[in-house]
Amino acid sequence: MAHRERYLVGLDVGTSTVCAVVGESLDDGSLDVVGIGVAESHGIKRGAVVNLEAAVDSIKKAIDEAELMAGVEVDSVHLALSGPHIKGFNSRGVIAVAGKNREITRDDVRRAIDAAKAVALPTGREILHVLPQDFVVDEQDGIGAPVGMTGARLEVNVHIVTGSQSSTQNIVACVNRAGVTVAETVVEQLAASESVLTEDEKELGVALVDIGGGTTDIAIYERGSLWHTAVIGVGGDHFTNDIAVGLRTPVPDAEKIKRKCGCALSGMVDEDETMEVASVGGRQPRLMARRVLSEILQPRAEEIFHQVWDEIRRAGYEKSLNSGIVLTGGGAILEGMPEIAEQIFDLPIRRGCPAGVGGLADHVSNPEFATAVGLVLYAQRNHAGDAGRMAGAGAFGRVAGKLRGLFKEFF
């Protein structure tokens, strides 16, 4: 392996917050979080840039704060991509094995993956990830690493994630203007999965539901691989707006009330609990029952989960989620979310907090940091220190049983 970066930085530019996490890669292979920066996000709506200058300022703030805490200078980041423009689909590639003795080589694997990703994309879209799921040698399916096996034909199933070129270029441009380069871009669900899902869950079948400010991202794993990704255009900001309208209070105050008193299941709130609500236009704040707030939040929470369930059913995975559903992202912090999800999905539900890191681990053990911490773990696992791309065969330094190690970046 060529040169390994000691410090890796994950940057999650969301609709409501920008998170930067600096991780230090230790010699024993573990990872310590050494710096965290969080800034309010301006100029980003649902994963897309709507005001370049404002977005650049938010990114600068978060990176500066993380640099100060870590005491290192950040020059390149691993950037999360999200938004409704991201679409995933499954594809299959088939090739004839080339060698004389029909032994499958890495080159055959590479050709099979190239065949799987040779799909016609609409103008303006690009492939962000090609994630191998499993291989078929002749008629034998479910193979993890086919190199060295013998067969006449090799097939590969892959999950391809695509995004809009212009959306990606705009967000990368913002990061560049904030003074850092982008080593690689990773789709949000993939990054969050890295920090909150366990290998067992991925093996048995699990859905990750990442509730952000502007969107809710879904990823479905089974047999250790990613099989489905989707994005729903509702998120935590919709809760805030509902409160602002329902309680006639300014949006910043609505956000504070949501964080302090919000509960998505009105059955969990005592009838006599009260809260203070700021009024618009300089009027006096009012005292209101907390139950009223829950009655505003509950229908929106139900709507999000019903849309998620429709997506899971439409994709045909409602029977495969043996480990249930993991909720993460800032929207998962809201009290009552796991309980209401349990009622709707009738599956085991848990809140996913980032795990697998040392250092300032207790500061990031919050669903809000799932993506940023996941980016650093993802970068470390894929040794993307070398400007995001390892040279040629170097990518195959060690054949890992898990596909990820084996096929980092052919593309």
Side-chain angles (χ1 to χ4, degrees), residues 21 40 53 55 61 97 100 118 125 127 141 164-165 209 220 299-300 323 357 363 368:
V21 167
E40 245 185 69
E53 293 306 312
K61 269 194 197 119
V97 178
K100 277 203 281 290
R125 293 193 73 75
I127 291 182
D141 61 359
S164 136
Q165 276 172 341
V209 176
I220 297 175
R300 181 64 83 179
S323 345
V357 291
H363 291 277
E368 280 187 288

Side-chain angles (χ1 to χ4, degrees), residues 79-356:
L79 176 66
L81 295 179
S82 70
H85 68 93
I86 286 174
K87 304 263 187 283
F89 58 90
N90 294 329
S91 172
R92 172 169 248 201
V94 185
I95 58 145
V97 178
K100 277 203 281 290
N101 50 5
R102 296 276 174 245
E103 187 179 310
I104 295 167
T105 62
R106 295 193 176 131
D107 199 51
D108 293 322
V109 171
R110 183 178 301 222
R111 283 193 306 127
I113 289 176
D114 282 342
K117 64 177 219 253
V119 284
L121 289 181
T123 325
R125 293 193 73 75
E126 60 182 346
I127 291 182
L128 301 170
H129 295 283
V130 177
L131 304 160
Q133 294 161 332
D134 60 4
F135 293 88
V136 184
V137 176
D138 293 348
E139 299 298 303
Q140 175 66 45
D141 61 359
I143 292 169
V147 176
M149 296 174 85
T150 309
R153 97 189 219 142
L154 174 67
E155 298 174 50
V156 60
N157 292 311
V158 297
H159 186 70
I160 296 179
V161 185
T162 67
S164 136
Q165 276 172 341
S166 55
S167 293
T168 306
Q169 280 161 355
N170 285 331
I171 196 124
V172 169
C174 287
V175 177
N176 292 158
R177 287 180 74 163
V180 288
T181 57
V182 175
E184 69 172 335
T185 52
V186 183
V187 171
E188 176 151 11
Q189 296 96 305
L190 201 59
S193 308
E194 199 74 33
S195 68
V196 301
L197 296 182
T198 66
E199 290 303 323
D200 293 345
E201 284 176 325
K202 290 183 185 173
E203 203 56 52
L204 278 169
V206 65
L208 177 82
V209 176
D210 182 338
I211 307 167
T215 56
T216 296
D217 301 337
I218 305 169
I220 297 175
Y221 285 84
E222 207 186 359
R223 302 194 297 284
S225 307
L226 180 63
W227 289 87
H228 186 71
T229 45
V231 179
I232 289 167
V234 212
D237 284 0
H238 294 77
F239 287 113
T240 309
N241 293 334
D242 292 349
I243 297 170
V245 172
L247 300 183
R248 295 193 290 285
T249 186
V251 170
D253 293 295
E255 180 68 33
K256 282 189 196 114
I257 292 171
K258 175 180 84 175
R259 284 169 185 260
K260 197 169 128 222
C261 312
C263 178
L265 191 58
S266 53
M268 290 170 66
V269 181
D270 283 344
E271 302 256 339
D272 48 6
E273 287 186 66
T274 58
M275 57 183 189
E276 197 174 82
V277 179
S279 296
V280 199
R283 300 190 189 89
Q284 289 298 309
R286 299 149 293 166
L287 211 60
M288 288 179 103
R290 190 173 160 218
R291 179 65 74 89
V292 176
L293 178 61
S294 282
E295 281 161 3
I296 292 171
L297 294 174
Q298 185 165 342
R300 181 64 83 179
E302 287 172 353
E303 181 205 5
I304 291 180
F305 290 138
H306 280 303
Q307 286 196 25
V308 170
W309 192 229
D310 289 346
E311 180 59 47
I312 292 171
R313 274 215 311 262
R314 204 178 53 75
Y317 289 98
E318 72 271 27
K319 297 275 191 290
S320 349
L321 306 178
N322 301 314
S323 345
I325 292 180
V326 177
L327 303 179
T328 192
I333 300 169
L334 187 62
E335 200 188 318
M337 287 297 262
E339 288 78 1
I340 205 161
E342 246 162 34
Q343 292 184 5
I344 288 170
F345 298 121
D346 194 23
L347 284 166
I349 309 279
R350 72 175 179 89
R351 268 197 190 96
C353 291

